[in-house]
C-alpha cells in the first residue's frame, strides 16, 4: 500500500469530520456564555449555551424566544416580548399586546409599568427575566432584526443545568 493510500484510509475521515465540525460551528451553532444576572432565574451568569444562528432566519422569531442581541459590540441575552407592528405595554405587572393581556409562561421579576410603545417593522421588543436588573428595550428601545444574532435555549454547561430552557 502506498503512503497516499494509507493517508486516504487512515487520516482523511478525521480531516473530513474536523472540517464538518468547523463549518457547523462557524455557520450554524456556536457556544455563547451568559454574562450577568439579567435572565435570572431562567439563565444564570456564566451558563454556556448553544446559539442557533440559522433557523430563526427561516422560521422567524416567536414571542418569548430567548435571543442573543448585538448591543454596543457585546452580546446580550434577552427574551422576545413584542413582535414587529405590535403595541407593547406593562400595567400592574401584566403584559398587554395590542391592548389584550398576554399570559407569560416563565418566571420573571416584577415588571414596572411600561407605557405603550408601537414596535416598528423588522424590530422586536426584548426584556431580561430579571426585570429589575436588565438592560433591555425599556432602555435601548426596540431591537432591529439586524442586531439579533440568533436564538438560544440549550444550556450545555454547567452539566447540572444541562437542558432546554423556556
Amino acid at each position: 500500500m502506498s503512503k497516499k493510500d494509507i493517508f486516504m484510509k487512515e487520516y482523511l475521515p478525521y480531516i473530513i469530520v474536523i472540517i464538518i465540525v468547523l463549518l457547523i460551528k462557524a455557520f450554524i451553532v456556536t457556544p455563547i456564555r451568559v454574562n450577568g444576572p439579567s435572565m435570572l432565574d431562567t439563565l444564570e451568569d456564566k451558563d454556556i449555551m448553544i446559539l442557533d444562528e440559522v433557523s430563526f432566519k427561516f422560521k422567524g422569531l416567536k414571542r418569548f424566544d430567548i435571543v442573543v442581541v448585538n448591543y454596543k459590540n457585546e452580546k446580550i441575552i434577552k427574551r422576545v416580548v413584542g413582535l414587529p407592528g405590535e403595541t407593547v405595554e406593562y400595567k400592574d405587572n401584566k403584559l398587554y399586546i395590542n391592548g389584550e393581556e398576554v399570559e407569560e409562561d416563565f418566571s420573571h421579576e416584577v415588571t414596572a409599568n411600561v407605557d405603550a410603545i408601537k414596535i416598528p417593522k423588522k424590530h422586536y421588543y426584548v426584556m431580561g427575566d430579571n426585570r429589575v436588573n436588565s438592560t433591555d428595550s425599556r432602555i435601548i428601545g426596540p431591537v432591529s432584526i439586524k442586531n439579533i444574532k440568533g436564538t438560544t435555549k440549550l444550556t450545555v454547561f454547567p452539566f447540572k443545568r444541562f437542558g432546554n430552557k423556556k
Side-chain angles (χ1 to χ4, degrees), residues 41-108:
D41 289 328
T42 307
L43 307 176
E44 293 184 9
D45 186 31
K46 297 183 178 49
D47 279 357
I48 303 293
M49 305 185 74
I50 298 297
L51 171 63
D52 176 355
E53 299 180 64
V54 175
S55 66
F56 84 99
K57 293 178 182 177
F58 296 105
K59 64 180 184 176
L61 294 172
K62 299 184 303 286
R63 186 176 335 281
F64 307 137
D65 280 352
I66 299 173
V67 295
V68 176
V69 176
N70 281 328
Y71 175 67
K72 292 188 174 181
N73 297 321
E74 196 177 319
K75 290 180 181 71
I76 59 175
I77 300 177
K78 304 296 172 194
R79 188 180 297 277
V80 172
V81 174
L83 305 173
E86 294 181 336
T87 300
V88 174
E89 180 179 19
Y90 272 92
K91 284 192 295 194
D92 301 323
N93 200 39
K94 293 181 181 158
L95 170 64
Y96 292 88
I97 301 294
N98 299 328
E100 302 278 327
E101 184 178 345
V102 173
E103 195 69 33
E104 295 174 287
D105 62 351
F106 57 92
S107 174
H108 66 78

Side-chain angles (χ1 to χ4, degrees), residues 1 4-15:
M1 218 187 297
K4 182 179 177 183
D5 290 336
I6 293 171
F7 174 82
M8 294 296 275
K9 186 176 181 180
E10 291 186 24
Y11 297 109
L12 190 59
Y14 294 109
I15 293 170

Side-chain angles (χ1 to χ4, degrees), residues 121-140:
K121 290 180 182 177
K122 298 184 181 180
H123 285 72
Y124 293 84
Y125 199 87
V126 298
M127 296 177 79
D129 291 355
N130 185 0
R131 304 287 166 87
V132 295
N133 189 7
S134 178
T135 300
D136 52 37
S137 288
R138 295 171 294 172
I139 297 166
I140 65 176

Side-chain angles (χ1 to χ4, degrees), residues 8 16 18 26 33 88 91 105 112 119 139 154 164:
M8 294 296 275
I16 291 171
I18 289 169
R33 184 174 160 196
V88 174
K91 284 192 295 194
D105 62 351
I119 312 300
I139 297 166
L154 178 63
N164 282 333

